Amino acid sequence: MERPRHQGMAKNTYMRWRLPLVCLLWEVAMIVLFGVFVRFDPEADAHWEEEKREKNLTSDIENDFYFRYPSFQDVHVMIFVGFGFLMTFLKRYGFGAVGFNFLLAAFGIQWALLMQGWFHSFKSGKILIGVENLINADFCVGSVCIAFGAILGKTSPIQLLVMTLFQVTLFAVNEYILLNLLHVKDAGGSMTIHTFGAYFGLMVTRILYRPNLEQSKDKQGSVYHSDLFAMIGTLYLWMYWPSFNSAISEHGDAQHRAAINTYCSLAACVLTTMAFSSMLQKKGKLDMVHIQNATLAGGVAVGTSAEMMLTPYGSLIVGFICGIVSTVGYVYLTPFLESRLHIQDTCGIHNLHAMPGLIGGIVGAITAAAATEDVYGKEGFIKAFDFTGTYQTRTPSVQGGFQAAGIVVSLLMALAGGALVGAILKLPVWGDAAAENCFEDDIYWEVPEDEENDAYHMHNPDKATSP
Amino acid sequence: MERPRHQGMAKNTYMRWRLPLVCLLWEVAMIVLFGVFVRFDPEADAHWEEEKREKNLTSDIENDFYFRYPSFQDVHVMIFVGFGFLMTFLKRYGFGAVGFNFLLAAFGIQWALLMQGWFHSFKSGKILIGVENLINADFCVGSVCIAFGAILGKTSPIQLLVMTLFQVTLFAVNEYILLNLLHVKDAGGSMTIHTFGAYFGLMVTRILYRPNLEQSKDKQGSVYHSDLFAMIGTLYLWMYWPSFNSAISEHGDAQHRAAINTYCSLAACVLTTMAFSSMLQKKGKLDMVHIQNATLAGGVAVGTSAEMMLTPYGSLIVGFICGIVSTVGYVYLTPFLESRLHIQDTCGIHNLHAMPGLIGGIVGAITAAAATEDVYGKEGFIKAFDFTGTYQTRTPSVQGGFQAAGIVVSLLMALAGGALVGAILKLPVWGDAAAENCFEDDIYWEVPEDEENDAYHMHNPDKATSP
Amino acid sequence: MERPRHQGMAKNTYMRWRLPLVCLLWEVAMIVLFGVFVRFDPEADAHWEEEKREKNLTSDIENDFYFRYPSFQDVHVMIFVGFGFLMTFLKRYGFGAVGFNFLLAAFGIQWALLMQGWFHSFKSGKILIGVENLINADFCVGSVCIAFGAILGKTSPIQLLVMTLFQVTLFAVNEYILLNLLHVKDAGGSMTIHTFGAYFGLMVTRILYRPNLEQSKDKQGSVYHSDLFAMIGTLYLWMYWPSFNSAISEHGDAQHRAAINTYCSLAACVLTTMAFSSMLQKKGKLDMVHIQNATLAGGVAVGTSAEMMLTPYGSLIVGFICGIVSTVGYVYLTPFLESRLHIQDTCGIHNLHAMPGLIGGIVGAITAAAATEDVYGKEGFIKAFDFTGTYQTRTPSVQGGFQAAGIVVSLLMALAGGALVGAILKLPVWGDAAAENCFEDDIYWEVPEDEENDAYHMHNPDKATSP
């Protein structure tokens, strides 16, 4: 910071008026739009007693709240603690990791309630929201958290808010195309959340390429404690992923099955991650980067198929493969992407979300195409793929084809959207830091003077007296 | 510690006999009182099969356990991890923050089960407890955790236990007055928990005013890692607050609605907190103190009204305002309270709980007063405000008046109770530390000699050899 | 590491081929076995619509998923975050604590699904799994996590995997003997999980006795931050223990009751732990080791009886006693076991699991023996102890006798199994570290160079310039 002559120093990272202005104006916009559009779903509305009578429900326990609220809370923890802490691995960017994730997610869920609401819960001029909308909003924001992983440490909070605004919008459009136009199944979001979020983020970071990023190389690593903080994020993502993949599945067996498949896939993924982490390192030691990330790939990769009859051993196979793919990606692909394609991917989302997301889409397409009435039962078959109304005559293999189309659409939307948003974020008005100040909380945060030095002086009286 | 001549040093902080005696005697008293009074609620009793038949329940899922247990666990996490870790921000008081919070809450929930039981669950000489009682006990202790925030670092564990004993007692009395005598609604406890707990704690810390507290000023800040630990507390409080505000609402739509309103309010609150945190600081940088605390004010402020038809946009407005009020409070009010009114508020509970609690009470009163049969439906209206029996003829505006009265009663009870308890805690027998030893775990805890010094020596061989 | 002449250095801790081989081969074996044996339970299978019709279920909410999934997730958190972080207290073994726990548990749950499935869920050649199987697999692995606590820091990851393989197998056999042959009740696993897991681990560590362990004495303690990380583990275990003890109880009152009893027992346990922690230390200060561990003993000790009519005050008494027993154990027994019996018990599982587990078994036997139709109701009595079919004529006192037999069987199985497995782990092929390298992550993990030194240099410019 005593280097006033550097070109980087010229960058204006002063947030005092810009950040408050964006936060306040956008929040006012949210209030106005919520005021005009958002009301309670019948199950959350005080008129529910009448609704119950109409629907012949005999018990309050039939309220969707009791089917989905526990899963919602698990998903909520994944978004705020899971993603937030996963990204605290950097030695001097913990505040930014947790804090900016908090900021963008808090804004994103509001905007997602609106965007998704207009597409999916719009009835006589109003968006009616219930617990399922909250889950979907969290899901949508999950894709932004993923993209954040690629640009972690290199952007200003305003850039993150701008990205959130656009990404949520495009997410909702893409989701609408997949779920409504293509009639694709994707309950755990391999395509809509992971593939879309990851390629979007990779494209953004490609556009924002920083040739001099090695100037902050010393801050791009972890320290012992920061790796433990990151493990909090990892474990919460890992443990609650069964809730993530089952949260919006059909009531009953589908939720149940999605949780079991995800549990199995994740377990297998840990074993192959550990195996390859050790194998790919000359000294055979395990690398925390792999453990923190690649162990989660199994959850991503059953995002589409978990609610289908993937079966426990099918899940193990998917998890097995993804632990390998993801770990190999960290060792070989990430450096390659950076040096050759100029994709600087701070958290390695290409390995954790992009590739496993694609695999997840493909596994989903295959599982759907392979579905039979024998395996699902006559009613179960129709229910699992919602082959009713217009889709009454759709066959499994056609469904598989549409699923595959969903992957392609998500990928294209992500790349086009990421390019657009990357270009917007490149404008020199958003207050991002110079290359040498990346990965450093001090730019946007009041950082306490670390007196750990003093802290142990207290216990080492002889040192305390020395100058 | 090498300053034997200081007056402070004369203070006797030796806990060896006093703390064990209090813990053991009080726990024995709990056992005796539980033995005499506490039994299982019919839904937790082995006779439940008979109960089910009587009530014509066809399924075990109708047991209140399944309606409330997930919310209970979320609340439980808020009390022990949420409050505990939120207070670990101090650089050398992490053990005290988490450990004393653990101690007082573990004692408090037992005493609360009794006190609240006598008032609310007393049937033919026995207190019958079920999951709702556990939630209420946690709620009651929540108000003690809030008060603890004001005196954090300045009291002995015995003082905390004494305060818990009295505060839980007074909480139960106040709660009885509000809920039973005034027939006030306050499911999320804006009045009973936050207003009461915060003003109680502020009064206690006022009475315990320490003129020489600047002697431990160097320990009153955070270090980098302690701020991240505190964020664990913040995020768990933030994420689970929808469970807190909905945990004891009526089954069905009320629980559902309370969760949605709280979710919205909290989201808005993050945006305005970030805005004002940056705006009020000359360099425009964000302050972790604000992020850790003011982001939660939105949850406090919909504590009364969340289960009502506040509507999502109403919630956004409340959250919007409270993020501002709370952040401004941290910047301007806290220093003022300390210098002018001699209120030393370690965690700034005035900004996080007191003001938002009052706002929450007022918002609740207004929302109740504005209720109409049109908005709630005929049945919903009666159910929402429990306008049955004696209260059959109460109108919304009268209800609003009683809600307002509830705020005043809570405030007065808190101030009177806090003054009384503060006076008791001022007696020189409880083993509190001298001003210069405040905010320091070393007084009451075995603290490991921090060898982080040694830790990196291992990796810096050239340093390891130097003396 | 500059001591090449030490005998310990000769040890080959190189994991590069051994660990990957074990992980990959075993995971392939899992896939094959799952492929042959594991299918979905009817409640997780797509045929569920037909099942519902057969069983006359009118609502999806009757799916076992909604009865048990929230508890499952709490248990899941206990296994991975609870046990994982509880063991991070060591200053330089945080990666191993969390990471190896992650590895062994991820493998263990798969093997447990098979082993327990063959014994309990085997129907026409297939193991049918649902959410209850996931909980039981987590439970089974819990006993391995316990044993891991005894050998923490002294074994290679391969040894841990080998131990997991054998311990899960023996666990399933022991569980089968208790639950099926002896018809013993043990929903929270005082006997099957804690007694078995702890004595198994103690026997293993006895066999693996390291006479020169004092060479790594300097690494066997905690630092300030590592104690806070450990408290995350403690609190999650403590908070979610009511879910643990109630997770697989009968639907309805039994689950409800088990949660309440555990809540009470744990609360009392905190008070006596604090009391004795202070009392047994000359300076009267609290010891984090006790707070982190002994506070949990109350949950262990009601593992068998929580679902019975233990009553809240009975639970308080059990918690009261166990806090004392466990804390006294840490102060007096652990050093004795190490010096006299050569049992090196890193985490003190003897105090947290072994003794409280035995107490839990005894309390369960007494509570069962004391059961009457009066207390349980006629139907409740039969339901609570499953006195149907072959067991129709069993009396409470006979049940008490069988419960006591269950303790003895668990103890013997643990000691014999632990001796066998300890002998296997002693073979010099598993890559464990030399005594002087115990409790050190650097052996098996890539450890970042801790630049906390540099970190504050940034803020101390005058130091940054000095060499």
Side-chain angles (χ1 to χ4, degrees):
Chain A
M1 286 148 239
E2 321 80 15
R3 289 175 272 185
R5 271 152 287 120
H6 270 223
Q7 47 63 257
M9 273 290 90
K11 287 222 174 189
N12 176 5
T13 60
Y14 193 61
M15 288 286 113
R16 192 167 182 188
W17 302 112
R18 282 181 289 184
L19 180 62
L21 212 69
V22 171
C23 286
L24 294 176
L25 282 184
W26 291 15
E27 189 55 49
V28 169
M30 288 301 114
I31 292 174
V32 172
L33 289 168
F34 268 60
V36 176
F37 289 110
V38 181
R39 296 295 181 272
F40 293 117
D41 187 86
E43 308 203 55
D45 194 283
H47 285 86
W48 196 53
E49 285 301 315
E50 297 155 35
E51 178 87 3
K52 259 167 75 182
R53 220 169 17 240
E54 267 171 47
K55 290 198 176 169
N56 266 320
L57 301 177
T58 54
S59 166
D60 284 319
I61 199 91
E62 298 282 342
N63 194 302
D64 199 34
F65 183 77
Y66 303 104
F67 286 90
R68 304 208 186 274
Y69 189 72
S71 310
F72 157 66
Q73 275 296 1
D74 294 350
V75 171
H76 215 39
V77 171
M78 292 174 74
I79 300 299
F80 290 88
V81 162
F83 282 110
F85 273 88
L86 181 59
M87 297 191 279
T88 58
F89 72 99
L90 291 172
K91 68 182 76 161
R92 295 297 295 178
Y93 206 70
F95 292 5
V98 170
F100 291 156
N101 186 69
F102 195 15
L103 172 62
L104 72 83
F107 167 67
I109 53 179
Q110 297 176 61
W111 180 229
L113 281 175
L114 288 165
M115 280 304 303
Q116 296 179 315
W118 282 316
F119 279 121
H120 300 288
S121 311
F122 202 59
K123 263 153 221 158
S124 25
K126 299 292 173 199
I127 295 166
L128 304 183
I129 66 171
V131 64
E132 196 170 337
N133 298 69
L134 306 190
I135 298 171
N136 276 312
D138 273 28
F139 275 4
C140 175
V141 158
S143 88
V144 185
C145 299
I146 291 166
F148 178 32
I151 55 177
L152 183 73
K154 299 176 293 185
T155 46
S156 76
I158 302 181
Q159 283 178 306
L160 295 174
L161 284 171
V162 171
M163 184 177 85
T164 305
L165 179 73
F166 284 102
Q167 193 177 347
V168 167
T169 310
L170 292 166
F171 177 99
V173 172
N174 184 54
E175 188 187 42
Y176 178 76
I177 297 173
L178 264 69
L179 303 191
N180 295 50
L181 304 186
L182 302 178
H183 195 69
V184 149
K185 302 299 283 182
D186 194 24
S190 290
M191 295 177 279
T192 52
I193 302 169
H194 299 286
T195 300
F196 176 79
Y199 284 101
F200 188 98
L202 291 167
M203 199 65 185
V204 168
T205 198
R206 174 64 193 81
I207 306 280
L208 298 180
Y209 175 64
R210 287 169 175 272
N212 302 314
L213 199 58
E214 78 286 349
Q215 288 177 10
S216 54
K217 207 78 192 173
D218 58 314
K219 279 170 280 177
Q220 231 180 319
S222 63
V223 287
Y224 196 72
H225 281 124
S226 71
D227 269 326
L228 282 175
F229 277 116
M231 277 306 288
I232 297 175
T234 299
L235 287 175
Y236 273 100
L237 288 169
W238 192 90
M239 296 179 304
Y240 285 162
W241 216 295
S243 301
F244 192 93
N245 283 348
S246 67
I248 58 161
S249 290
E250 289 283 326
H251 292 170
D253 58 299
Q255 280 200 286
H256 202 152
R257 189 163 59 245
I260 295 172
N261 280 330
T262 310
Y263 177 94
C264 290
S265 176
L266 286 164
C269 194
V270 174
L271 275 279
T272 50
T273 297
M274 294 270 182
F276 274 73
S277 181
S278 170
M279 204 197 295
L280 298 179
Q281 213 259 8
K282 235 167 65 182
K283 294 190 224 149
K285 294 184 184 182
L286 297 163
D287 189 327
M288 277 306 252
V289 172
H290 309 154
I291 313 309
Q292 283 158 7
N293 292 282
T295 51
L296 301 168
V300 174
V302 295
T304 303
S305 55
E307 63 173 7
M308 303 179 190
M309 289 293 282
L310 179 60
T311 74
Y313 72 88
S315 306
L316 290 188
I317 294 171
V318 175
F320 187 95
I321 293 168
C322 283
I324 297 171
V325 168
S326 189
T327 308
V328 170
Y330 274 98
V331 177
Y332 298 113
L333 261 178
T334 299
F336 174 85
L337 291 179
E338 177 153 3
S339 60
R340 299 300 169 88
L341 303 184
H342 288 181
I343 296 172
Q344 293 159 326
D345 178 5
T346 311
C347 296
I349 63 165
H350 186 260
N351 314 303
L352 171 47
H353 297 283
M355 291 189 295
L358 289 179
I359 294 173
I362 295 165
V363 170
I366 295 170
T367 313
T372 64
E373 283 200 8
D374 191 42
V375 169
Y376 286 76
K378 200 175 165 64
E379 286 161 283
F381 179 73
I382 294 166
K383 197 177 156 198
F385 297 97
D386 197 17
F387 285 160
T388 56
T390 335
Y391 305 100
Q392 213 165 351
T393 56
R394 195 183 267 193
T395 63
S397 52
V398 172
Q399 178 69 22
F402 277 99
Q403 295 281 142
I407 307 171
V408 177
V409 171
S410 296
L411 192 60
L412 294 178
M413 286 285 292
L415 294 174
L420 173 76
V421 172
I424 294 169
L425 296 187
K426 228 180 151 66
L427 298 175
V429 299
W430 311 117
D432 57 316
E436 79 231 51
N437 293 325
C438 283
F439 314 115
E440 171 58 53
D441 274 333
D442 206 33
I443 306 302
Y444 302 115
W445 296 87
E446 284 286 297
V447 175
E449 302 234 349
D450 259 22
E451 294 162 300
E452 300 198 342
N453 204 11
D454 296 13
Y456 54 74
H457 276 181
M458 250 180 324
H459 300 281
N460 294 319
D462 44 288
K463 281 203 184 167
T465 50
S466 70
Chain B
M1 284 150 240
E2 321 79 13
R3 288 173 274 184
R5 270 153 289 118
H6 270 225
Q7 46 63 257
M9 273 290 87
K11 287 223 175 189
N12 177 5
T13 60
Y14 193 61
M15 287 286 114
R16 191 167 182 189
W17 302 113
R18 282 181 287 184
L19 181 62
L21 211 69
V22 171
C23 286
L24 294 175
L25 281 184
W26 290 16
E27 189 56 48
V28 169
M30 289 301 114
I31 291 173
V32 172
L33 290 168
F34 268 61
V36 175
F37 289 110
V38 180
R39 296 295 180 274
F40 293 117
D41 187 86
E43 307 204 54
D45 192 283
H47 285 87
W48 196 53
E49 285 301 317
E50 297 154 35
E51 179 86 2
K52 260 168 74 182
R53 217 165 21 238
E54 267 170 47
K55 290 198 177 171
N56 266 321
L57 301 177
T58 53
S59 167
D60 283 319
I61 199 92
E62 298 282 342
N63 194 302
D64 198 35
F65 183 78
Y66 303 104
F67 286 91
R68 304 209 186 273
Y69 189 73
S71 310
F72 157 67
Q73 275 297 0
D74 294 350
V75 171
H76 215 39
V77 171
M78 291 173 75
I79 300 299
F80 290 89
V81 161
F83 282 110
F85 273 88
L86 181 59
M87 297 190 279
T88 57
F89 73 99
L90 290 173
K91 67 182 76 161
R92 295 297 295 177
Y93 206 70
F95 292 6
V98 169
F100 292 155
N101 186 69
F102 195 15
L103 172 62
L104 72 83
F107 167 67
I109 52 178
Q110 298 176 60
W111 181 228
L113 280 175
L114 288 165
M115 280 303 305
Q116 295 179 316
W118 283 316
F119 279 122
H120 300 289
S121 311
F122 201 59
K123 265 153 220 158
S124 24
K126 299 292 173 200
I127 295 166
L128 304 183
I129 66 172
V131 64
E132 197 170 337
N133 298 70
L134 306 190
I135 298 171
N136 277 311
D138 272 29
F139 275 5
C140 176
V141 157
S143 87
V144 185
C145 299
I146 292 166
F148 178 32
I151 55 176
L152 183 73
K154 299 175 294 185
T155 46
S156 76
I158 302 181
Q159 282 178 307
L160 294 173
L161 285 171
V162 171
M163 184 177 84
T164 305
L165 180 73
F166 283 102
Q167 192 177 348
V168 166
T169 310
L170 292 166
F171 177 99
V173 172
N174 184 55
E175 188 186 41
Y176 179 75
I177 297 173
L178 264 69
L179 303 190
N180 295 51
L181 304 187
L182 303 179
H183 195 70
V184 149
K185 303 298 283 183
D186 194 22
S190 290
M191 295 177 279
T192 53
I193 302 169
H194 298 286
T195 301
F196 176 80
Y199 285 101
F200 188 98
L202 291 167
M203 200 64 185
V204 168
T205 198
R206 174 65 194 79
I207 306 281
L208 297 181
Y209 175 63
R210 288 170 175 272
N212 302 315
L213 199 58
E214 78 286 348
Q215 289 178 10
S216 54
K217 208 77 193 174
D218 57 312
K219 279 170 279 177
Q220 233 181 316
S222 62
V223 287
Y224 196 71
H225 281 124
S226 71
D227 268 327
L228 282 175
F229 277 116
M231 277 306 287
I232 297 175
T234 299
L235 287 175
Y236 274 99
L237 288 169
W238 192 90
M239 295 180 303
Y240 285 163
W241 215 295
S243 301
F244 192 93
N245 283 348
S246 67
I248 57 162
S249 290
E250 289 283 326
H251 293 171
D253 58 298
Q255 280 199 286
H256 201 152
R257 188 163 58 245
I260 295 172
N261 280 329
T262 310
Y263 177 94
C264 290
S265 176
L266 285 163
C269 194
V270 174
L271 275 279
T272 50
T273 297
M274 294 271 182
F276 274 73
S277 181
S278 170
M279 203 197 293
L280 298 179
Q281 214 258 9
K282 237 168 63 184
K283 294 189 223 149
K285 294 185 183 180
L286 296 163
D287 190 327
M288 277 306 252
V289 172
H290 309 153
I291 313 308
Q292 284 158 7
N293 292 282
T295 51
L296 302 168
V300 174
V302 295
T304 303
S305 55
E307 63 173 6
M308 303 179 190
M309 289 292 281
L310 179 60
T311 74
Y313 72 89
S315 306
L316 290 188
I317 294 171
V318 174
F320 187 96
I321 293 168
C322 283
I324 297 171
V325 168
S326 189
T327 309
V328 170
Y330 274 98
V331 177
Y332 298 113
L333 261 178
T334 299
F336 174 84
L337 291 179
E338 177 153 3
S339 61
R340 298 301 170 88
L341 302 184
H342 289 179
I343 296 173
Q344 294 159 326
D345 178 5
T346 311
C347 296
I349 63 165
H350 186 260
N351 314 303
L352 171 47
H353 298 282
M355 290 190 294
L358 288 178
I359 294 173
I362 295 165
V363 170
I366 295 170
T367 314
T372 63
E373 283 200 7
D374 191 44
V375 170
Y376 286 78
K378 201 176 166 62
E379 287 162 282
F381 179 73
I382 293 168
K383 196 178 157 198
F385 297 97
D386 197 16
F387 285 160
T388 56
T390 336
Y391 305 100
Q392 214 166 350
T393 56
R394 195 183 266 193
T395 62
S397 53
V398 172
Q399 179 67 24
F402 276 100
Q403 295 280 143
I407 307 171
V408 177
V409 170
S410 296
L411 192 60
L412 294 178
M413 286 286 292
L415 294 174
L420 173 76
V421 172
I424 294 170
L425 297 186
K426 228 178 152 65
L427 298 175
V429 299
W430 310 117
D432 56 315
E436 79 230 51
N437 293 326
C438 283
F439 315 114
E440 171 57 54
D441 274 333
D442 205 33
I443 305 302
Y444 302 116
W445 296 86
E446 284 285 299
V447 175
E449 301 234 349
D450 259 21
E451 292 162 302
E452 300 198 340
N453 205 11
D454 296 13
Y456 53 75
H457 277 181
M458 249 179 326
H459 300 281
N460 294 318
D462 44 290
K463 280 203 184 168
T465 51
S466 70
Chain C
M1 284 150 238
E2 322 79 14
R3 288 174 275 185
R5 271 152 287 118
H6 270 224
Q7 48 62 256
M9 273 291 87
K11 287 223 174 188
N12 177 5
T13 60
Y14 193 61
M15 287 287 113
R16 191 165 183 191
W17 302 113
R18 283 181 288 183
L19 181 61
L21 212 70
V22 171
C23 285
L24 294 176
L25 281 184
W26 290 16
E27 190 56 48
V28 169
M30 288 301 114
I31 291 173
V32 172
L33 289 169
F34 268 61
V36 176
F37 289 110
V38 181
R39 296 294 179 273
F40 294 117
D41 187 87
E43 307 205 53
D45 193 283
H47 285 86
W48 195 52
E49 284 301 316
E50 297 154 35
E51 179 85 4
K52 258 167 76 183
R53 220 169 14 241
E54 267 170 46
K55 290 197 176 172
N56 265 320
L57 301 177
T58 52
S59 166
D60 284 319
I61 198 92
E62 298 282 342
N63 194 302
D64 199 35
F65 183 78
Y66 303 104
F67 286 90
R68 304 208 187 275
Y69 189 73
S71 310
F72 157 66
Q73 274 297 0
D74 294 351
V75 171
H76 215 38
V77 171
M78 292 174 73
I79 300 300
F80 290 88
V81 161
F83 282 110
F85 272 88
L86 181 59
M87 298 191 278
T88 57
F89 72 100
L90 290 172
K91 67 182 76 162
R92 294 298 295 179
Y93 206 71
F95 292 6
V98 170
F100 292 155
N101 186 69
F102 195 15
L103 172 62
L104 73 83
F107 167 68
I109 53 179
Q110 298 176 60
W111 180 228
L113 280 175
L114 288 165
M115 280 304 304
Q116 295 179 315
W118 283 315
F119 278 121
H120 301 289
S121 311
F122 202 59
K123 263 152 221 158
S124 24
K126 299 292 173 200
I127 295 166
L128 304 183
I129 66 172
V131 64
E132 196 170 337
N133 298 70
L134 306 190
I135 298 171
N136 276 312
D138 272 29
F139 275 4
C140 176
V141 158
S143 88
V144 185
C145 299
I146 292 166
F148 178 32
I151 55 177
L152 183 73
K154 299 176 293 185
T155 46
S156 75
I158 301 181
Q159 283 178 307
L160 295 174
L161 284 171
V162 171
M163 184 177 84
T164 305
L165 180 72
F166 284 101
Q167 193 178 347
V168 165
T169 310
L170 291 166
F171 178 99
V173 172
N174 184 55
E175 188 186 41
Y176 179 75
I177 296 173
L178 264 69
L179 303 190
N180 295 50
L181 304 186
L182 303 178
H183 195 69
V184 149
K185 303 298 282 183
D186 194 22
S190 290
M191 294 177 280
T192 52
I193 302 168
H194 299 286
T195 301
F196 177 79
Y199 284 101
F200 188 98
L202 291 168
M203 200 64 185
V204 168
T205 199
R206 174 64 193 81
I207 306 281
L208 297 181
Y209 175 64
R210 288 169 175 273
N212 302 314
L213 199 59
E214 78 286 349
Q215 288 178 9
S216 54
K217 208 77 192 173
D218 57 313
K219 280 168 279 177
Q220 232 181 319
S222 62
V223 288
Y224 196 72
H225 282 123
S226 71
D227 269 327
L228 282 175
F229 277 116
M231 277 306 288
I232 297 175
T234 299
L235 287 176
Y236 273 100
L237 288 169
W238 192 90
M239 295 180 303
Y240 284 163
W241 215 295
S243 302
F244 192 93
N245 284 347
S246 67
I248 58 161
S249 290
E250 289 282 327
H251 293 171
D253 58 299
Q255 280 199 286
H256 201 152
R257 189 163 58 244
I260 296 172
N261 280 329
T262 310
Y263 176 95
C264 290
S265 176
L266 285 164
C269 193
V270 174
L271 275 278
T272 50
T273 297
M274 295 270 182
F276 274 74
S277 181
S278 170
M279 204 198 294
L280 297 179
Q281 214 258 9
K282 236 166 65 182
K283 294 190 223 149
K285 294 184 183 181
L286 297 163
D287 190 327
M288 277 306 252
V289 172
H290 309 153
I291 312 309
Q292 284 158 7
N293 292 282
T295 51
L296 302 168
V300 174
V302 296
T304 304
S305 54
E307 63 173 6
M308 303 178 190
M309 289 293 281
L310 179 59
T311 74
Y313 72 89
S315 306
L316 291 188
I317 294 171
V318 174
F320 186 95
I321 293 168
C322 283
I324 297 172
V325 168
S326 189
T327 308
V328 169
Y330 274 98
V331 177
Y332 298 114
L333 261 178
T334 299
F336 174 85
L337 291 179
E338 176 153 3
S339 60
R340 299 301 170 86
L341 303 184
H342 289 179
I343 296 172
Q344 293 159 326
D345 178 6
T346 311
C347 296
I349 63 165
H350 186 260
N351 314 303
L352 171 47
H353 298 282
M355 291 189 295
L358 289 179
I359 294 174
I362 295 165
V363 170
I366 295 170
T367 313
T372 64
E373 284 200 8
D374 192 42
V375 169
Y376 287 76
K378 200 176 166 62
E379 287 161 282
F381 179 73
I382 294 167
K383 196 177 156 197
F385 297 98
D386 197 16
F387 285 160
T388 56
T390 335
Y391 305 100
Q392 213 164 354
T393 55
R394 196 182 266 193
T395 62
S397 53
V398 172
Q399 178 68 22
F402 276 99
Q403 296 280 142
I407 307 172
V408 177
V409 171
S410 297
L411 193 59
L412 294 178
M413 286 286 292
L415 294 175
L420 173 75
V421 173
I424 294 169
L425 297 187
K426 228 181 152 65
L427 298 174
V429 299
W430 311 116
D432 57 316
E436 80 231 49
N437 292 326
C438 283
F439 314 114
E440 171 59 53
D441 274 332
D442 205 33
I443 306 302
Y444 303 115
W445 296 86
E446 285 286 298
V447 175
E449 301 235 349
D450 258 21
E451 294 162 299
E452 299 198 342
N453 205 11
D454 295 13
Y456 54 75
H457 276 181
M458 249 179 328
H459 300 281
N460 294 319
D462 44 288
K463 280 203 183 168
T465 51
S466 71

